[in-house]
Amino acid sequence: MPKKKTALTIEERLQQALVPAEEQHYEVPENWVWVRLLSTFVNKTDSKKKIQQKFYLKTGDYAIVDQGQNLIGGYTNDASLQYDGELPVVVFGDHTRCVKYVDFKFVQGADGVKILLPFKSFDSKFFYYAIMNLNIPNMGYRRHFPLFDKLTLPLPPLSEQQRIVERIEELFAKLDEAKERLQEVADSFAVRKAAILHKAFTGELTKQWRLENGVSDESWEEKKLGEVGSWLGGGTPSTSREEYWENGNILWITPKDMKSAVIEDTLMKVNEIGVKNSSANYIEKPALLVVMRSGILRRTFPVAMVKKPFTVNQDLKAIIPDKDDLEFLYWMLLSNEQRILDTCMKNGTTVESINSNALKDLTFKCPTLSEQHEIVRLIDDLLARERAAQQAAEQALASIDLMKKSILARAFRGELGTNKASEASALELLRQVLAEN
């Protein structure tokens, strides 16, 4: 008969859990130890208690924790699926590497969720931050949990774990407060832009300019968009005739190209033969482009400028101003985007489209040409400042995430200034943990 395997002693298990000096990533305080990650928790994942995403509810009695970015992925009313083990736990996204601290009753998401219960003698928050600090390589959508048997972490005494957690959360709270303010700056760009355009087209932005230049407040006149200049439509050269597109050097603009204020390049270019053999117009003058038919018109009204020779397809209109400033008209249309969507949309059409007559009848207040130039200058200057503020806020937001990583790295090196070398070694803590589990 084969001999029965004898249970390992505490000391033998201790040696298996400890990481030899040659495998340790960096030095830690003397009363810390390096341990293998798998010796710090119990895997409480329950394959029979999980819910697929297609069954998530927007509201419900029980929160669902999955491997997504948000702490709570959805809700369910199925009480039988609720996790009934000890809390708190750490939820690890097997595919996404997301790490979550969960101290409330929840239901496990179906795909890629691992529920990790730290051993009782460990501080659960310390364990959470330790997992966050691990350098787990990104393997795409492959499973990452199998890597855990190769991972190690530094372990301080329990009281030191608690002080580290307090210090981490104190620093994180300050960073989160700064992040909230920066996020408001980054998110409010659209609001500030709308406010600038409102002031521009109500005359408030250039009120001082009119005063300094002796221009009357009554100089603004009401005008219809159809009166600003020529309106030209487009067409599509035959795509089956390669000679229409070979060595094309003329911008052929479609709604897909309407992604910037000024169009410098297009997805396709047509040659002169292609233009002549279509209903498209060859346009050499700077023009304003508006989308007349597109699937995105219920949400936005795309407007752009083009200042080099071009032609357009049948879904666009090119407006060539006679006297008005091109950029003034561009900003005027952007400021009236919602009014255009509300008043110029055709009803009952398969593809969302704009009623050209209604758009031509769109009225707006129009100042003198010199004031139009000043309005454009001020808009460009103010929006440049707002964009700079937005970009600075976004860069600072990115740096906050890096600062958090730096804080965690310092914390697990014992560099947050909390270590007390006189305390009992973490080796005794680990021995106690193994004895209890």
Side-chain angles (χ1 to χ4, degrees):
M1 292 180 63
K3 294 182 179 180
K4 292 184 179 179
K5 291 184 179 180
T6 57
L8 296 175
T9 67
I10 297 300
E11 291 302 318
E12 288 172 331
R13 292 175 62 196
L14 183 65
Q15 290 307 309
Q16 286 186 349
L18 291 173
V19 179
E22 62 271 17
E23 295 181 29
Q24 297 174 14
H25 299 296
Y26 48 81
E27 289 188 10
V28 292
E30 289 183 2
N31 58 343
W32 293 33
V33 292
W34 275 91
V35 297
R36 302 196 183 281
L37 178 58
L38 291 182
S39 68
T40 63
F41 69 88
V42 179
N43 184 356
K44 301 293 287 186
T45 309
D46 190 340
S47 61
K48 296 179 180 179
K49 285 189 173 184
K50 56 186 180 180
I51 184 169
Q52 295 182 356
Q53 191 172 28
K54 63 182 179 181
F55 297 120
Y56 287 13
L57 303 176
K58 291 184 178 180
T59 59
D61 296 333
Y62 307 100
I64 300 170
V65 178
D66 57 20
Q67 65 171 341
Q69 293 293 329
N70 296 325
L71 176 60
I72 295 175
Y75 294 87
T76 181
N77 292 320
D78 191 343
S80 67
L81 296 176
Q82 187 176 201
Y83 168 76
D84 56 5
E86 296 179 58
L87 291 170
V89 295
V90 170
V91 170
F92 175 74
D94 203 357
H95 299 295
T96 63
R97 298 178 300 154
C98 285
V99 183
K100 302 177 183 180
Y101 182 80
V102 184
D103 57 0
F104 52 87
K105 290 292 185 179
F106 69 100
V107 170
Q108 171 189 328
D111 186 38
V113 172
K114 295 295 181 181
I115 301 175
L116 316 180
L117 177 67
F119 287 142
K120 291 180 181 179
S121 295
F122 295 135
D123 183 277
S124 58
K125 272 288 184 74
F126 177 86
F127 179 74
Y128 162 68
Y129 288 123
I131 299 295
M132 286 185 64
N133 187 56
L134 290 174
N135 183 21
I136 303 175
N138 185 358
M139 301 194 302
Y141 203 70
R142 291 170 59 189
R143 294 189 177 274
H144 294 80
F145 188 70
L147 299 177
F148 275 35
D149 67 346
K150 303 294 184 182
L151 297 175
T152 61
L153 56 85
L155 181 69
L158 182 58
S159 57
E160 178 67 3
Q161 294 178 33
Q162 294 164 344
R163 282 196 298 272
I164 287 173
V165 168
E166 289 175 2
R167 185 62 175 146
I168 288 174
E169 296 194 334
E170 177 187 350
L171 294 171
F172 275 21
K174 292 178 180 178
L175 289 175
D176 287 339
E177 184 179 349
K179 186 174 184 177
E180 186 176 346
R181 293 197 298 269
L182 289 167
Q183 193 67 58
E184 288 175 359
V185 173
D187 292 344
S188 62
F189 173 76
V191 175
R192 299 194 304 275
K193 177 181 176 180
I196 290 170
L197 294 182
H198 176 76
K199 290 181 178 180
F201 295 100
T202 56
E204 184 180 348
L205 196 60
T206 44
K207 185 175 182 179
Q208 183 62 32
W209 180 90
R210 289 195 300 275
L211 184 64
E212 293 173 355
N213 289 273
V215 178
S216 170
D217 288 348
E218 305 301 320
S219 60
W220 288 48
E221 299 178 349
E222 190 170 272
K223 182 183 287 190
K224 291 183 178 181
L225 186 60
E227 299 171 346
V228 303
S230 304
W231 288 55
L232 299 176
T236 302
S238 173
T239 54
S240 63
R241 302 289 295 271
E242 292 185 7
E243 66 267 27
Y244 293 172
W245 304 94
E246 288 178 342
N247 302 315
N249 59 354
I250 301 171
L251 301 182
W252 185 64
I253 304 175
T254 75
K256 293 180 180 179
D257 300 305
M258 301 279 286
K259 296 178 181 179
S260 59
V262 180
I263 297 176
E264 297 286 351
D265 201 4
T266 51
L267 295 172
M268 298 180 66
K269 294 182 179 67
V270 66
N271 58 35
E272 293 181 5
I273 298 174
V275 173
K276 290 178 181 178
N277 288 276
S278 75
S279 56
N281 291 288
Y282 178 65
I283 305 169
E284 295 184 281
K285 294 182 178 180
L288 193 68
L289 301 182
V290 294
V291 174
M292 301 301 293
R293 186 178 66 171
S294 171
I296 61 176
L297 278 173
R298 292 203 186 277
R299 301 185 300 277
T300 61
F301 179 66
V303 184
M305 295 175 284
V306 60
K307 300 178 181 180
K308 57 176 64 174
F310 71 99
T311 185
V312 296
N313 82 343
Q314 61 272 19
D315 295 328
L316 302 175
K317 288 289 185 185
I319 305 171
I320 305 173
D322 290 334
K323 299 177 181 178
D324 296 298
D325 185 288
L326 181 70
E327 293 185 36
F328 171 84
L329 293 174
Y330 168 79
W331 289 118
M332 182 277 296
L333 285 177
L334 281 189
S335 71
N336 282 278
E337 179 180 49
Q338 193 56 52
R339 181 159 72 106
I340 292 169
L341 292 174
D342 290 342
T343 61
C344 301
M345 287 289 301
K346 286 183 180 179
N347 295 320
T349 56
T350 304
V351 178
E352 287 84 353
S353 58
I354 294 291
N355 184 308
S356 59
N357 290 329
L359 185 60
K360 288 180 179 181
D361 284 339
L362 182 79
T363 58
F364 63 98
K365 292 287 186 178
C366 189
T368 62
L369 185 59
S370 57
E371 188 169 354
Q372 290 181 31
H373 295 333
E374 179 64 11
I375 287 172
V376 170
R377 186 189 71 79
L378 289 172
I379 288 175
D380 288 343
D381 182 56
L382 291 171
L383 287 183
R385 295 181 192 178
E386 294 295 345
R387 288 191 190 96
Q390 181 190 35
Q391 290 171 359
E394 290 172 348
Q395 290 172 358
L397 284 168
S399 70
I400 283 177
D401 291 335
L402 292 175
M403 289 171 69
K404 284 189 172 183
K405 290 181 180 179
S406 176
I407 288 170
L408 288 177
R410 290 177 58 205
F412 290 95
R413 288 177 178 268
E415 296 175 358
L416 288 186
T418 60
N419 184 58
K420 292 185 178 180
S422 61
E423 291 182 340
S425 169
L427 188 63
E428 295 304 317
L429 171 65
L430 184 59
R431 184 178 282 110
Q432 177 186 347
V433 168
L434 296 175
E436 292 176 353
N437 297 277

